[in-house]
Amino acid sequence: SNLSEIDHAVAQRDRAKLVGIAHALKGVAGNLAAQDLLEITTKINREYRDANCDLDALLGEVLAMRSEVQKLPELFLERLRRIIPPQKWDAVANTFAEPAPTTFRINTVKVGAHGRAPLQERLQHLGFGLEKISWYPDAFILRRGRLRDLQETEIYKEGQIYVQSLSSMIPPLVLDPKPGERILDLTAAPGSKTTKIACLMKGKGEIVANDNN
């Protein structure tokens, strides 16, 4: 949205339009010039400060997201711009401004493939809200509950689940190791991918896990 569109929405007191613009800003916050963003948010915020309006909080999120993205090293941002297609830049850049959710995977060496559903039910019974990952059925996002509480469960203490970022789960899936194979992991620390490889190998085979420390 440009400033003239916002001016028109303000003049027409089109609150729905302004809310839509504010939401759209969240998608491009990391790529806007500071002055443009300040002018846009000021114009919208000036009109709508009533108690029933969520624009203040929404625009605060926009400004915070832009601030976090701009903290990233410029060389990193330049390299990212060369890798990421322009149409996807805003969505990718803004992920660096959002806290990463807690994610974990089932340790199939201990639980087994048929233990996925019962384990999920046990965690939900304990009050945890879980979201399944479409591309990997053994992985979940923790949507309700704290990591600290999850780590206090017997399920966690017995090693039936392993807290790991989704991006870290991908390399072993791409490698697709098979039971009985011999795997050399040259940069193994702290061992998240290595243990995932062991799960994919169903505990059968040989893994040499190495690191410089």
Side-chain angles (χ1 to χ4, degrees), residues 27-28 31 80-81 83-96:
V28 298
N31 214 26
L80 203 61
R81 288 189 180 97
I83 298 172
I84 305 301
Q87 66 272 22
K88 294 184 178 181
W89 164 254
D90 295 315
V92 172
N94 283 339
T95 61
F96 293 96

Side-chain angles (χ1 to χ4, degrees), residues 7-185:
D7 286 335
H8 178 75
V10 168
Q12 298 295 316
R13 300 194 64 79
D14 188 344
R15 179 179 179 278
K17 177 67 173 177
L18 289 174
V19 171
I21 291 172
H23 276 287
L25 281 175
K26 287 186 68 177
V28 298
N31 214 26
L32 284 173
Q35 187 58 40
D36 288 345
L37 186 61
L38 180 62
E39 187 173 353
I40 291 169
T41 54
T42 300
K43 280 177 177 289
I44 298 176
N45 228 11
R46 186 186 301 130
E47 281 299 318
Y48 294 94
R49 293 188 176 278
D50 56 279
N52 295 323
C53 183
D54 60 355
L55 278 174
D56 281 348
L58 186 58
L59 293 173
E61 289 182 37
V62 171
L63 289 168
M65 289 177 71
R66 184 191 180 281
S67 175
E68 289 301 311
V69 172
Q70 295 303 316
K71 289 179 184 177
L72 296 170
E74 186 57 36
L75 287 177
F76 173 77
L77 290 173
E78 288 179 6
R79 184 179 181 189
L80 203 61
R81 288 189 180 97
R82 292 196 298 268
I83 298 172
I84 305 301
Q87 66 272 22
K88 294 184 178 181
W89 164 254
D90 295 315
V92 172
N94 283 339
T95 61
F96 293 96
E98 300 173 351
T102 294
T103 56
F104 65 91
R105 59 175 169 80
I106 294 174
N107 181 355
T108 52
V109 170
K110 289 196 173 184
V111 176
H114 298 295
R116 184 189 306 134
L119 188 145
Q120 183 181 351
E121 291 174 3
R122 287 171 59 195
L123 287 171
Q124 291 172 330
H125 181 72
L126 291 172
F128 295 102
L130 308 178
E131 178 183 336
K132 295 180 180 180
I133 302 301
S134 60
W135 46 268
Y136 183 37
D138 289 327
F140 297 87
I141 300 175
L142 184 65
R143 291 302 188 190
R144 186 177 65 251
R146 301 183 306 171
L147 172 60
R148 181 182 303 176
D149 295 329
L150 184 66
Q151 291 172 326
E152 290 299 318
T153 64
E154 291 302 314
I155 292 172
Y156 178 87
K157 292 178 180 179
E158 292 172 2
Q160 297 181 46
I161 60 174
Y162 186 94
V163 175
Q164 184 178 6
S165 68
L166 295 178
S167 60
S168 179
M169 297 181 198
I170 294 174
L173 294 175
V174 174
L175 180 64
D176 192 25
K178 299 293 190 292
E181 290 185 339
R182 301 178 68 194
I183 305 294
L184 173 61
D185 190 344

